[in-house]
Amino acid sequence: MKPFYIYNTLSRSVEELKPLNPPVVTLYSCGPTVYLPQHLGNLRTYISWDFLRRTLELNGYQVRHVINVTDVGHMTSDEDEGEDKIEKTARAEGKSPLEVASFYLAMFQRDLAALNQEQPMVWCRATDHIGDMIVLIERIVAAGMAYVTKSGVYFDVEKYRGARRIGKLSRQSLDEQHAGQRLEHSPDKKSPHDFALWVLNQPHHLMQWDSPWGRGYPGWHIECSAMSMKYLGETLDIHTGGMDHIPIHHENEIAQSESATGRPFARYFVHSAFLVGKSGSKISKSAGKFPLLADVTAAGLDPLAFRLFCFGAKYRSELALADEGLRAAQSNLDYLREFARNLPAEAAAATRDSEFAEEYRERFLEALNNDLNTPQALAIALELVAEAYRRNDRTIWNTLMFFDRVLGIGLEKTRAAGQAAAFPPDIQALIDERAEARKGRNFKRADELRAILEARGYEVKDGKGGAATYLRRDA
Ligand code: AMP
Ligand code: ZN
């Protein structure tokens, strides 16, 4: 297996991935809080984990991927105060919390399917795992790292000291991590930085469960610790999330998990950068208005153009949502699809590609193995297709299929559809002759052939690099 390198937020450096039990890699991605649609920024983050997962699979790893769904306990403040986000929407929409969560989860999963995201091994909903959370909280209490008060069970941040102190991941003090947040110092808490593992005595909260401490509901952070460890073991290989999760959420996950188990929680923490809007600020739900995948399709673009748009930027770089960028991604998608659609049957059936493709395969994998350098990988894929046109040798299909295992744009489906709509032999002969004429820069002949094809009922559209599309007008 080739070495795969990834930036580990824990060490602030690019490290070679050394999974605990190769070829298995355990991967946990912090999932959405399902109280509103997931915007393009959220989707960018999940697509990044799809690139990561597919790259690991391309390298021969078996990835056990878990994504959670937060359907209780995430407060509007992101701290212990405020209203439960799901319940807030439920009240506003006159629905039950379960209806709200199921509705937005289904919408999210439809978007991911449209983006060709591979299904995780497990989708886990917080409300289905309350028992696991209670058992984990009991372990933390038994370890002496949490205390019980009237308003809840709190993690005792002060006790978590020394080298393990909260701040290892973010390299921030507690005050820095909570800067900008409204921290009400509940008289029940020993320190304002202590966080709730279980919340008690909130009679207005709609979702409540029995626990050894009384009826209540879990805190947001404990959900991820309990569900990730349930499905993937006490030490995960890779834990992912957006950069906003580095302070507080992931710090707290580490503190409470390691307090319960005495083992490292995750070996690699991988964080994605934000998608920013036209004004340069982070796209966020709290802004009130945010772009959705439905807006991309309403603008006449393919959802997979958004996928390719994300592929064109590194997961660790901020990416600006811009119409030109999306259109450029659509044109790259069209270019790759056009090649697939018009692929000659012999090139598709070849078991070996032409020799020149070999080097591209290696470079593609090398780019991805270098901390998921997707923009470079995309450039290599486009370059190979251009080279195939230039050489008039399209025997590169195995290599393109290899690329598409990570690109995930469904090129085989496009090729099959193209073949089903194959041209009659006399038309194909005209098309081939025209391709030759264009290649030889005999534009006069190419124009004559265009006129003949048009007279025979075909629409002719020339693309870049010698590519062209031919469509039957009545098709
Ligand atoms: P949320 O539902 O707000 O918890 O967010 C779900 C995921 O999307 C988290 O991993 C966030 O870090 C991530 N996220 C939120 N906003 C953005 C953004 N503008 N760009 C990229 N990722 C984001
Ligand atoms: Zn989480």
Side-chain angles (χ1 to χ4, degrees), residues 142-363:
M145 299 300 290
Y147 55 91
V148 186
T149 71
K150 229 173 47 273
S151 62
V153 183
Y154 293 100
F155 186 83
D156 195 337
V157 166
E158 275 308 304
K159 280 209 178 146
Y160 190 72
R161 279 198 161 280
R164 302 186 311 162
R165 196 173 176 77
I166 291 184
K168 196 171 75 169
L169 185 69
S170 61
R171 304 201 179 175
Q172 288 179 335
S173 69
L174 283 164
D175 282 336
E176 283 166 337
Q177 287 185 54
H178 293 267
Q181 304 272 358
R182 257 182 305 116
L183 267 193
E184 282 161 35
H185 189 4
S186 149
D188 270 4
K189 285 198 206 180
K190 290 193 202 165
S191 148
H193 299 128
D194 291 350
F195 55 91
L197 302 171
W198 189 261
V199 182
L200 290 166
N201 289 312
Q202 291 286 333
H204 299 298
H205 203 271
L206 301 172
M207 294 177 277
Q208 309 249 5
W209 293 265
D210 288 329
S211 81
W213 314 282
R215 269 184 87 69
Y217 57 91
W220 172 37
H221 317 299
I222 199 71
E223 300 179 0
C224 284
S225 292
M227 292 189 280
S228 60
M229 294 200 281
K230 174 182 172 114
Y231 292 104
L232 301 173
E234 292 186 348
T235 300
L236 319 173
D237 285 318
I238 307 178
H239 190 313
T240 68
M243 280 186 176
D244 51 337
H245 287 341
I246 300 175
I248 306 176
H249 185 50
H250 286 172
E251 290 281 15
N252 293 354
E253 276 189 42
I254 296 172
Q256 64 199 7
S257 306
E258 298 191 354
S259 294
T261 67
R263 298 163 196 259
F265 174 49
R267 290 154 60 80
Y268 302 82
F269 264 96
V270 179
H271 292 102
S272 58
F274 294 133
L275 183 71
V276 297
K278 290 186 180 119
S279 62
S281 54
K282 177 192 166 198
I283 293 172
S284 85
K285 294 190 188 113
S286 54
K289 202 171 149 28
F290 39 82
L292 305 179
L293 193 60
D295 298 321
V296 172
T297 48
L301 301 171
D302 196 294
L304 295 178
F306 181 68
R307 184 180 172 97
L308 221 47
F309 174 67
C310 295
F311 199 86
K314 207 167 155 165
Y315 76 99
R316 280 202 287 132
S317 309
E318 203 169 83
L319 174 61
L321 186 67
D323 295 343
E324 318 84 78
L326 283 171
R327 276 198 301 272
Q330 179 73 52
S331 119
N332 284 335
L333 181 67
D334 292 344
Y335 181 66
L336 294 169
R337 281 180 167 169
E338 196 169 283
F339 184 87
R341 197 178 299 114
N342 299 322
L343 192 72
E346 323 78 74
T351 47
R352 273 188 74 101
D353 285 356
S354 294
E355 224 174 276
F356 74 90
E358 189 57 32
E359 170 215 345
Y360 288 84
R361 178 190 279 254
E362 278 167 27
R363 284 169 56 211

Side-chain angles (χ1 to χ4, degrees), residues 33 49 94 96 112 172 234 287 306 313 326 340 355 371 389 409 417 424-425:
T33 306
W49 311 143
S96 72
L112 291 186
Q172 288 179 335
E234 292 186 348
F306 181 68
L326 283 171
E355 224 174 276
D371 193 25
Y389 280 127
I409 52 173

